[in-house]
Amino acid sequence: MFIKDLFKQKRLVYSFEIFPPKLTSPIDTVYKTIEELAILNPDYISVTYGAGGSVNNNRTCELSSLVKNKYGIEALAHLTCINSDEEKITKIVDSLNKNNVKNILALRGDVNGEQNLEDSYKYAYQLIEYLKERGNVCLGAACYPEGHIQSDNIDKDIMHLKNKVDAGADFLISQLFFDNSLYYNFLDKAYKKGINVPIQAGIMPVTNKKQIERIASLSGAYLPEKFIKIMDKYEYNPEALRDAGIAYATEQIVDLVSSGVNGIHLYTMNNPYIANKITTSISSLINHINKEAI
Ligand code: FAD
């Protein structure tokens, strides 16, 4: 099924993200994770794609296929276009197609150092245009509630986001954020600019201090005082920090779903325990919302 059709059937789409293990680890280290996540019955599971070369991208295809064909859960394969070309992209998409994976999150990928101006693809919208032209695919794209880290300002970034939707993105998934009011402001701006596809909120339960520092430097996400206070308090108590991270993410989700967002995409960090805790606490809310007429 195309994920865009899920949004037509449900008021709230609830999904998970996983990543393939690094090349130094056997692929089956993630099988148990998928099995445990599948039990939680998400609407779909997305599998990230390593643009940096530290992971084997065949694994994205293999794991997406496993999600779809073994567990019967819709799969969304991430695909980046930086440092790639039409031939490589075509090969990957053909392989996904052969495995009945018809949903792709079309991304640019992170630029390390100077961007090569000779690249066939410089931006995600070019990948979206190409994939749309090939047809028989549902396309997601990334959006940034606080603006993409390389963008001069949020308005310019939203203008570029509109380009991706005009090129054929069927739905959007947001970068993580820790302050819901920033997300609501972003939604307002996006709708005013004519972005009319479903937008899913990306939520990352933060469960260790290292993760927070990495996230803040990579995404530039604003860390509210309330969040910093919690993280500082339990910094040296892993169990308490994990529970506080789960509670914070759950509180964010309760507010978001009660405010009528189209969906929640949970960055599980391949941790079924955390996904289980959060999903169990919000499942009655999701059921309630999905009983409401569309
Ligand atoms: P784009 O939409 O191309 O935007 C990149 C930048 O270029 C932005 O600053 C934008 O404003 C600007 N821009 C766009 N068009 C133009 C234009 N015409 N002229 C000038 N500037 C322009 N990375 C991975 O490597 N693997 C993954 O699996 C992965 N999954 C992700 C999932 C989600 C939900 C999100 C939010 C991000 C993910 N990323 C992943 C990270 C992503 O690859 C980076 O954030 C990357 O830097 C931008 O990708 P994009 O597709 O948003 O790029």
Side-chain angles (χ1 to χ4, degrees):
M1 177 191 250
F2 285 156
I3 289 171
K4 66 178 176 186
D5 294 328
L6 273 173
F7 286 102
K8 289 181 193 150
Q9 290 174 5
K10 299 186 127 186
R11 258 194 187 279
L12 186 86
V13 169
Y14 182 65
S15 55
F16 296 150
E17 178 188 286
I18 59 164
F19 55 83
K22 287 209 162 136
L23 275 178
T24 43
S25 307
I27 190 158
D28 54 12
T29 51
V30 78
Y31 289 172
K32 195 161 180 298
T33 302
I34 297 177
E35 198 175 310
E36 289 179 37
L37 291 176
I39 294 168
L40 301 174
N41 208 19
D43 290 313
Y44 70 85
I45 295 179
S46 84
V47 186
T48 66
Y49 185 91
S54 58
V55 291
N56 180 343
N57 287 320
N58 286 334
R59 291 187 164 185
T60 302
C61 181
E62 189 177 338
L63 295 177
S64 306
S65 170
L66 190 79
V67 166
K68 170 79 185 170
N69 301 308
K70 181 168 178 196
Y71 294 101
I73 291 175
E74 215 38 74
L76 172 67
H78 296 207
L79 177 60
T80 62
C81 60
I82 201 97
N83 300 327
S84 195
D85 56 38
E86 203 167 294
E87 198 185 328
K88 287 184 204 153
I89 296 285
T90 304
K91 225 168 137 187
I92 297 164
V93 177
D94 284 347
S95 162
L96 288 169
N97 241 315
K98 237 190 270 159
N99 286 284
N100 207 16
V101 176
K102 302 267 166 75
N103 297 289
I104 296 177
L105 188 68
L107 300 150
R108 182 193 68 175
D110 282 321
V111 180
N112 295 320
E114 282 291 296
Q115 182 160 16
N116 183 358
L117 294 174
E118 301 300 311
D119 273 353
S120 324
Y121 300 103
K122 291 177 193 66
Y123 299 108
Y125 81 88
Q126 295 163 317
L127 175 64
I128 295 169
E129 275 174 351
Y130 173 65
L131 296 177
K132 208 68 190 180
E133 204 180 288
R134 282 178 46 108
N136 194 24
V137 69
C138 170
L139 296 175
C143 63
Y144 301 84
E146 299 173 58
H148 182 261
I149 196 147
Q150 288 170 331
S151 191
D152 298 340
N153 60 63
I154 181 97
D155 292 322
K156 232 183 197 175
D157 201 40
I158 290 180
M159 196 180 86
H160 294 140
L161 181 62
K162 175 83 164 61
N163 270 348
K164 294 200 275 194
V165 174
D166 291 344
D170 297 300
F171 67 100
L172 303 171
I173 304 178
S174 90
Q175 176 65 286
L176 57 89
F177 58 91
F178 299 100
D179 181 341
N180 287 2
S181 65
L182 296 173
Y183 188 70
Y184 299 134
N185 287 342
F186 160 75
L187 288 184
D188 269 359
K189 285 190 172 179
Y191 294 145
K192 278 186 188 137
K193 284 278 177 265
I195 292 172
N196 54 7
V197 294
I199 305 179
Q200 251 184 297
I203 295 295
M204 178 172 284
V206 171
T207 53
N208 68 67
K209 184 89 180 181
K210 239 191 185 163
Q211 191 190 354
I212 305 166
E213 282 152 10
R214 195 165 167 270
I215 289 162
S217 70
L218 284 180
S219 69
Y222 166 65
L223 304 179
E225 217 170 284
K226 178 177 158 188
F227 178 83
I228 293 172
K229 193 170 70 185
I230 294 171
M231 295 298 136
D232 283 349
K233 179 87 181 160
Y234 306 112
E235 186 177 359
Y236 300 110
N237 182 334
E239 202 184 341
L241 187 61
R242 181 197 64 196
D243 289 349
I246 291 172
Y248 192 92
T250 306
E251 198 182 312
Q252 269 194 287
I253 295 173
V254 170
D255 177 58
L256 288 162
V257 300
S258 308
S259 304
V261 299
N262 300 127
I264 301 290
H265 190 59
L266 194 68
Y267 295 111
T268 70
M269 303 304 288
N270 290 8
N271 188 326
Y273 173 86
I274 292 168
N276 188 324
K277 283 276 176 197
I278 293 177
T279 306
T280 312
S281 5
I282 58 161
S283 60
S284 61
L285 281 68
I286 296 181
N287 290 339
H288 177 94
I289 290 164
N290 279 331
K291 275 193 199 127
E292 290 170 357
I294 295 193

